[in-house]
Amino acid sequence: MPTSKIGFKLKYWKRLKNMEDPVAIHLIYMHVHYNIVNGWFSCTEAQALRLASYELQASYGDYNPALHKPGFLDVIGLSQFLPPEYRPSENLSLSHHTQARLFAMHSQYRGISKQEAEQRYIEIAEQLPTYGITFFKVTHETNGPLYLGIAEEGAYTFSLAQREMMDFYPFSQLKGWAGIKTAGGSLFRGVQLQKSEGSDTNNHNEHNDSDSDSDDEKEPKAKFDGVEFTSSHQQACTIIELLNGYCCLLANSTAKWMRATPKVSTLSRVPPDLPSPSLFTAPRRREFSRGIPSLLDAFKPIYINACAKEGISPLPKITMQVDMAIDSNRWLEVLDISSCMIDDRSLDVLLSSLLRALSTNSSPNATTSTDASLSTLVSINSLSIYGSTSAYQNLRLNTIDLSNNPIDEKSCSVLQNYISNSAFALRQVILANCKLGNKILPTLSSRLALMSCLEVLNLASNEIPSIEPLCKEDFKTLHTIILRQNKLGDKGAPQIADFATKTPTLTSLDISYNKIGDSGIEVIARSLKPHKGISHLDCSGNIFTTKGANAIANLLVYTKSLKSIQICSGKLTHESASILAEAIKINETLTSLGLRDNTLGKVGASALAQSLKSNRTLLDLSLDQNSLDSTSITPFMNVLADNRSLTSLSLRSNVIGKNLETPCLLFSDFLSKNKYLLNLDLYSNLLGPTAMLSVSEGLSNNESLVFLSLEGNKLDGDSVHELTKALNYNNTLVSLKLDNTQLADDTIYVLASTLEYNQALTSLSLSQNMIGDTGVLYVLEALGRRTTNFIMKKIDLTQNKIQEKDALHKRCLELKLNTNVLL
C-alpha cells in the first residue's frame, strides 16, 4: 500500500521577536526546509550547501568520520538536502564530491544541539530574497502565466521560468483587493489588486534600489486603477485571506521603508484567530539581486559551458578549488593547475573563462547578462551564507601555479595572450618543471616583464642553460626569482650577476642546485655586495669549495641587507665552516643560516659555536645531516646555555647518541639554563634511554621551549616515566613529537596521565609506534578526564597497531572531546 505524507505549513511568514520554543522552532524549520529543497526560496550554491550541512547536524548529530563520508547519503539521496539546481546528476562521483563538501562543513559543528542547528538553518534562510513569500501560479492579461507572491509587506509578481521578480505592490500603495467573480456566479475566477492614486505598477525599484529612508524622493504621479490575476476560486480565496491577515499584522509596523501604514479599514474581513502583531518584528527590506552573487559563482558555469562547447572535460582540480572557496566563503587567490598535464586548448578555455568572470559586473543591482551560461544565476540574492553582504569580487587571483605541466610553443602562445592582462593582476607566476628550455623562455620573458604587479617568478627545474632573455627585460616590481635546479653552471653565473644588478627591487635569489663552482659564486657574490635590497640567498647544492665559501663570507661582512643564507647539500668542510664562522662573528644582520647536509665535522661545529658567542642577531640555525656526534655537538650545548639570540635549532639526522657518555648531562644543563630557545629538533639522532633522561631532566626546568621533536629515537619505560614528570612541571611546551619512538601500550599508559593535568601542550604526535587499541583508550580516557581549561587541539595516533577504529571514533564522540584525534 503506497504511503502518503501530511505536510503542515506556515500560513503567515512573520519573524518572531522571541523564538525559544523548541516545538515552534522545529515546525518552522520543517516548512523552511520544504521550501528550500523544492526551490521556492532561491539561494546560492554556498547557501544551499551550508543549509544542508546544518540539516545533517540536526538529523545525525555530531560528525563521525567513520560513518559520515561520501556514500553515506546514497540511499536517502541528496534531494532531501539540496534544491534541484544544485543536485548532481546521475554521476555518482559528482554526488560523492558534493557529499564530501557537505561533511567537511558538518565536521565544524561538533557540540551544536539539534535545536541550535535548526535555528541556524532558519537564520540563514531568513536572509534569502524569497524567504516568507507564498507563491501562486496565476495568469496576467498582458504578461501571461506568472507567479503571484504574497508576503508580509505586500504582493510580488515573478516570471515563471527563472522566478525573476517583475513588480512589487506594497500594502502602503494598495487601496484594497477583492475576488473577481465569474459571470452570473458566486465563485471567484481571480483576484484584483486596487492601487492607490499615485502608485506605480513598476514600483519595485523603490523597494530595492536603496536602503535610504529619506522622504525627499519624488513619488510617482501616474494613476492606475488596478491589476487583475486569473486563478482558481480556492486559490483566490487563499490569496485574499493572506492579504487580509498580513495587512492586519502590519497595522502598527515601524518599517520606515514602507513609507505609510496600511489602513485596516480597506479590509473586507479580518481573518479569525489572527495572532497579535506585537509578537513579530517589522518586515525587512528584501534585496533581489539582478547580478551575480560573486565572481566565483559566475566563473563556474562559464568554465563548464566553455569546456562543453570545446568538447573537453573541466579540470577536476579547478572545480574543487572553486567549490572549496565557495564553501568556506573566502577569496580564491591561488589558482593551482600544477600536475594537470594541461594542453593548449584546456589552458585557453580556462584562462578565457577566468577573464570573462573577472570582467563580469557582479554588483547586486547590475542588469543581468544575456549570456546563457549565466541564466541560472538570475535573481539569486547578494547575501553571504551568514547573512551579511558578501565580497562580490571573491575571485582575485594573485598566483597561478603551472608547475609540472609541459609548456610547448602552443601553450606558450596561449599564456602570452593572457598572462599580462591587467584583469588578472598576478603577483606570482610558478612555472617549475615546465620544460621551458631555450625555445620557450625567450618568447615568454617579454610578456612576463610586461606584468605590472609581478613579484615572484619561479622557473625551477626547467633545464635552462641561460637566463640571457630575462636579462634583456626590465622587471620593475620583481622581488623574488627562483632558478633552482637548472643548468646554469659557471657559464650562467655572469648572467645571474647581470640580472641582479639590473633588478634593484630583488630581495630573494635562489640559485640552488645549478652546479655552480668557485668562479661562478665569486662573480655572483661580487654583484650582490653593492646591492641594497638582497636579503635572502640560497646557493645550496652547488659545487663550490673553500674559495667559494670565502666569497660568501666576504658577502656576509660587507652586505648590510642579507638576513638569510642557505648553503645546504654542498661540499662545505670544516675549513669552509671556519671561514663562515669568522664572518658570522662580525655580521650584524643575519637571522637565518642553513648548513644542512654538509661535512662540518668537530672542528667546523666548534668554530660555529664560538661565533655564536659574538653574534647577537642569528635566530635560526640548521645543522641537519652533518654526522655530528656527541663530541661535535658538546661545544654548541655549552655556548647555547648562555646564548640570548638563537630561537630555533635543528639537529635532525645526526648521530649525537653515538658514543654518548653515561650519565649524560649534554641536554640537561643546556635546557635548564637557556631562556631563549623556542624550537629544538632532535629527530633521528640515535638517542637512547640515557639521552632521553637527560632531555627530560632539562625539560622539567626549561622555561622557553615551545616545540620539541624526539622522533626516531628510543624511549623505554624509565625515560617515558621521566618525560611524564617533566611535562607535569613544564608550562611552556606547546607541541611535542614522539613519532617512531617504540612506544607501546604499557609505556603510553604512563604518558597518558600527563594529558589530564598539563596546561600548555596543544599538539602531541605519536604516530608510527606500537600502540594498540588499549593504549589509544588510555589516551582518550585521559583527555576525557582533563580538568585544565587549555584545549588539546590535536593528537596524531596514525600508523600504530589499531584494530577497531570505528569503536574508538565512537568513544571520542561519547567523551565529547574537543581534540582532533587522528587514528
Side-chain angles (χ1 to χ4, degrees):
M1 182 177 178
T3 57
S4 301
K5 269 188 178 181
I6 299 177
F8 295 93
K9 298 182 179 180
L10 286 174
K11 185 173 186 178
Y12 300 110
W13 287 90
K14 298 285 292 181
R15 294 174 178 84
L16 289 165
K17 290 180 179 177
N18 297 303
M19 189 167 64
E20 298 177 353
D21 183 1
V23 176
I25 291 171
H26 180 68
L27 291 175
I28 294 171
Y29 161 78
M30 292 295 290
H31 195 193
V32 172
H33 172 263
Y34 171 85
N35 282 276
I36 293 290
V37 298
N38 286 283
W40 293 110
F41 293 170
S42 301
C43 58
T44 65
E45 183 180 24
Q47 290 167 330
L49 290 165
R50 184 63 61 179
L51 287 165
S53 66
Y54 277 118
E55 183 184 352
L56 286 172
Q57 182 69 19
S59 301
Y60 301 108
D62 286 345
Y63 171 74
N64 183 346
L67 183 65
H68 301 143
K69 51 191 175 183
F72 177 76
L73 301 176
D74 284 354
V75 176
I76 190 172
L78 290 175
S79 60
Q80 299 296 314
F81 299 88
L82 296 170
E85 62 266 34
Y86 302 125
R87 297 171 199 160
S89 56
E90 300 295 326
N91 191 317
L92 192 61
S93 63
L94 287 177
S95 173
H96 285 185
H97 172 58
T98 302
Q99 290 185 44
R101 296 171 68 186
L102 288 175
F103 288 128
M105 296 183 192
H106 179 205
S107 65
Q108 302 168 11
Y109 308 145
R110 183 178 297 276
I112 294 178
S113 66
K114 177 179 180 179
Q115 179 181 332
E116 188 178 355
E118 291 181 347
Q119 196 153 2
R120 291 190 186 184
Y121 190 103
I122 296 169
E123 288 170 357
I124 294 174
E126 285 178 343
Q127 309 300 321
L128 304 178
T130 54
Y131 175 84
I133 297 179
T134 305
F135 291 89
F136 301 92
K137 190 174 181 180
V138 298
T139 302
H140 185 267
E141 184 178 1
T142 305
N143 298 323
L146 48 75
Y147 285 116
L148 176 64
I150 308 301
E152 60 177 337
E153 67 272 19
Y156 295 87
T157 56
F158 297 87
S159 63
L160 279 182
Q162 298 296 336
R163 214 170 298 152
E164 179 182 358
M165 201 268 281
M166 300 165 63
D167 295 308
F168 171 53
Y169 309 96
F171 282 118
S172 58
Q173 295 185 11
L174 287 177
K175 184 179 180 181
W177 44 87
I180 307 171
K181 291 187 177 181
T182 57
S186 58
L187 298 178
F188 294 146
R189 62 174 180 82
V191 177
Q192 181 187 59
L193 303 181
Q194 301 161 3
K195 291 193 271 302
S196 304
E197 293 184 8
S199 63
D200 187 355
T201 305
N202 297 314
N203 55 17
H204 58 273
N205 288 333
E206 179 248 330
H207 182 52
N208 294 289
D209 291 347
S210 173
D211 286 337
S212 172
D213 294 330
S214 171
D215 294 326
D216 297 333
E217 298 177 32
K218 295 181 180 179
E219 295 287 348
K221 296 181 179 180
K223 181 178 178 180
F224 298 91
D225 293 330
V227 58
E228 294 185 357
F229 302 100
T230 302
S231 70
S232 67
H233 171 77
Q234 183 61 44
Q235 193 165 259
C237 292
T238 304
I239 292 170
I240 293 169
E241 187 174 359
L242 282 178
L243 289 169
N244 289 344
Y246 277 132
C247 188
C248 285
L249 292 172
L250 283 176
N252 298 314
S253 173
T254 58
K256 295 180 181 179
W257 58 265
M258 295 189 66
R259 300 295 183 87
T261 302
K263 296 179 175 57
V264 183
S265 59
T266 61
L267 303 179
S268 56
R269 181 169 62 88
V270 176
D273 302 323
L274 197 69
S276 170
S278 62
L279 296 174
F280 307 104
T281 62
R284 298 180 185 178
R285 293 178 63 91
R286 297 180 189 271
E287 293 187 28
F288 291 90
S289 172
R290 291 176 177 269
I292 308 303
S294 74
L295 294 184
L296 284 179
D297 289 288
F299 165 71
K300 194 173 176 181
I302 290 175
Y303 176 56
I304 291 173
N305 289 343
C307 287
K309 187 176 179 180
E310 291 294 322
I312 59 178
S313 299
L315 294 173
K317 195 169 187 177
I318 298 300
T319 55
M320 286 180 66
Q321 288 175 69
V322 173
D323 289 342
M324 288 175 64
I326 290 174
D327 294 348
S328 56
N329 200 36
R330 61 174 175 79
W331 298 69
L332 182 65
E333 297 180 312
V334 178
L335 188 69
D336 184 1
I337 326 172
S338 61
S339 306
C340 288
M341 299 303 292
I342 191 168
D343 58 17
D344 58 301
R345 287 178 63 212
S346 297
L347 186 61
D348 190 20
V349 168
L350 173 60
L351 295 180
S352 63
S353 299
L354 283 167
L355 195 58
R356 286 181 62 197
L358 286 166
S359 60
T360 300
N361 188 344
S362 61
S363 169
N365 293 317
T367 303
T368 304
S369 170
T370 56
D371 192 322
S373 64
L374 301 183
S375 61
T376 58
L377 299 174
V378 178
S379 298
I380 298 178
N381 74 308
S382 60
L383 296 179
S384 77
I385 55 177
Y386 302 108
S388 58
T389 303
S390 65
Y392 306 115
Q393 310 293 328
N394 59 356
L395 178 59
R396 183 177 61 182
L397 292 181
N398 60 36
T399 300
I400 184 168
D401 186 352
L402 281 160
S403 58
N404 303 318
N405 287 297
I407 303 295
D408 57 16
E409 293 181 6
K410 290 182 179 179
S411 298
C412 180
S413 178
V414 172
L415 271 179
Q416 283 183 282
N417 293 336
Y418 295 101
I419 204 167
S420 59
N421 192 298
S422 59
F424 287 126
L426 291 170
R427 297 180 182 275
Q428 183 172 190
V429 176
I430 304 174
L431 295 168
N433 193 27
C434 290
K435 299 183 179 179
L436 299 182
N438 275 337
K439 292 184 179 180
I440 307 300
L441 187 61
T443 310
L444 203 55
S445 295
S446 58
R447 287 291 181 177
L448 291 170
L450 290 175
M451 297 174 66
S452 60
C453 304
L454 185 63
E455 296 177 353
V456 180
L457 177 60
N458 188 337
L459 299 174
S461 306
N462 274 293
E463 300 184 357
I464 299 171
S466 169
I467 61 165
E468 186 177 354
L470 295 175
C471 296
K472 293 178 180 179
E473 305 298 336
D474 184 12
F475 291 86
K476 296 180 179 179
T477 58
L478 192 71
H479 65 62
T480 299
I481 185 164
I482 301 172
L483 298 169
R484 179 186 178 91
Q485 205 169 350
N486 281 290
K487 294 183 176 180
L488 298 176
D490 287 341
K491 289 183 179 180
Q495 297 162 5
I496 297 171
D498 184 31
F499 183 83
T501 303
K502 289 183 60 177
T503 314
T505 56
L506 197 66
T507 61
S508 179
L509 176 62
D510 185 346
I511 52 172
S512 58
Y513 300 93
N514 269 286
K515 296 184 178 180
I516 301 173
D518 290 329
S519 61
I521 286 294
E522 285 180 320
V523 171
I524 295 169
R526 258 195 317 270
S527 71
L528 295 178
K529 275 185 185 180
H531 202 291
K532 296 181 179 180
I534 197 74
S535 61
H536 172 76
L537 175 63
D538 190 342
C539 49
S540 303
N542 286 298
I543 55 175
F544 58 86
T545 59
T546 306
K547 195 175 180 181
N550 192 60
I552 293 175
N554 286 332
L555 186 63
L556 285 171
V557 171
Y558 293 104
T559 303
K560 303 303 181 184
S561 60
L562 198 60
K563 295 182 178 180
S564 171
I565 188 165
Q566 300 293 314
I567 319 175
C568 306
S569 303
K571 293 183 176 295
L572 295 186
T573 61
H574 64 89
E575 294 178 350
S576 300
S578 299
I579 292 171
L580 290 172
E582 291 301 314
I584 291 169
K585 284 182 182 180
I586 57 177
N587 181 278
E588 297 178 352
T589 60
L590 197 67
T591 59
S592 178
L593 176 62
L595 298 173
R596 175 181 52 82
D597 192 18
N598 284 290
T599 52
L600 303 183
K602 182 178 179 180
V603 174
S606 179
L608 287 170
Q610 293 303 312
S611 71
L612 294 180
K613 289 183 177 180
S614 304
N615 185 281
R616 293 291 181 266
T617 61
L618 195 64
L619 303 176
D620 184 359
L621 177 61
S622 172
L623 297 175
D624 304 342
Q625 295 175 253
N626 269 283
S627 301
L628 300 177
D629 59 14
S630 58
T631 57
S632 302
I633 210 67
T634 298
F636 260 103
M637 301 295 104
N638 294 335
V639 170
L640 289 178
D642 299 316
N643 182 274
R644 296 188 177 187
S645 63
L646 204 67
T647 59
S648 180
L649 176 62
S650 183
L651 297 168
R652 294 170 64 90
S653 302
N654 282 291
V655 289
I656 299 173
K658 187 177 180 181
N659 301 323
L660 200 62
E661 295 180 2
T662 305
C664 173
L665 301 177
L666 181 63
F667 298 104
S668 57
D669 288 350
F670 149 60
L671 289 174
S672 297
K673 294 178 181 178
N674 185 282
K675 306 297 182 184
Y676 297 91
L677 193 68
L678 301 178
N679 305 299
L680 177 61
D681 194 339
L682 297 172
Y683 167 87
S684 188
N685 263 286
L686 304 180
L687 300 180
T690 301
M692 290 296 196
L693 288 171
S694 176
V695 171
S696 299
E697 185 179 345
L699 187 62
S700 62
N701 298 313
N702 184 271
E703 298 177 358
S704 64
L705 213 61
V706 296
F707 170 83
L708 174 63
S709 174
L710 298 173
E711 300 172 81
N713 295 294
K714 185 179 180 181
L715 285 166
D716 65 0
D718 291 339
S719 53
V720 170
H721 184 75
E722 291 302 316
L723 180 60
T724 302
K725 286 171 59 179
L727 291 173
N728 288 335
Y729 285 109
N730 185 279
N731 291 316
T732 62
L733 195 68
V734 172
S735 178
L736 176 62
K737 296 179 73 67
L738 297 174
D739 309 293
N740 190 23
T741 52
Q742 301 185 25
L743 291 173
D745 288 352
D746 55 344
T747 48
I748 202 66
Y749 173 77
V750 178
L751 186 63
S753 63
T754 194
L755 300 179
E756 296 182 45
Y757 310 107
N758 184 280
Q759 297 189 10
L761 206 62
T762 62
S763 176
L764 177 61
S765 187
L766 301 168
S767 68
Q768 302 177 54
N769 281 294
M770 298 178 286
I771 305 169
D773 293 12
T774 303
V776 174
L777 279 173
Y778 290 151
V779 173
L780 299 183
E781 297 296 338
L783 288 173
R785 295 190 298 270
R786 194 170 171 86
T787 56
T788 175
N789 292 327
F790 288 84
I791 297 175
M792 175 71 76
K793 295 179 181 178
K794 178 182 174 182
I795 289 188
D796 187 352
L797 288 158
T798 56
Q799 300 182 56
N800 277 286
K801 295 186 176 182
I802 300 172
Q803 301 296 324
E804 301 293 335
K805 288 187 179 181
D806 290 351
L808 293 172
H809 277 302
K810 184 178 179 181
R811 185 56 182 154
C812 288
L813 295 175
E814 291 171 352
L815 292 169
K816 297 181 179 180
L817 301 180
N818 292 319
T819 305
N820 181 17
V821 181
L822 303 179
L823 301 176

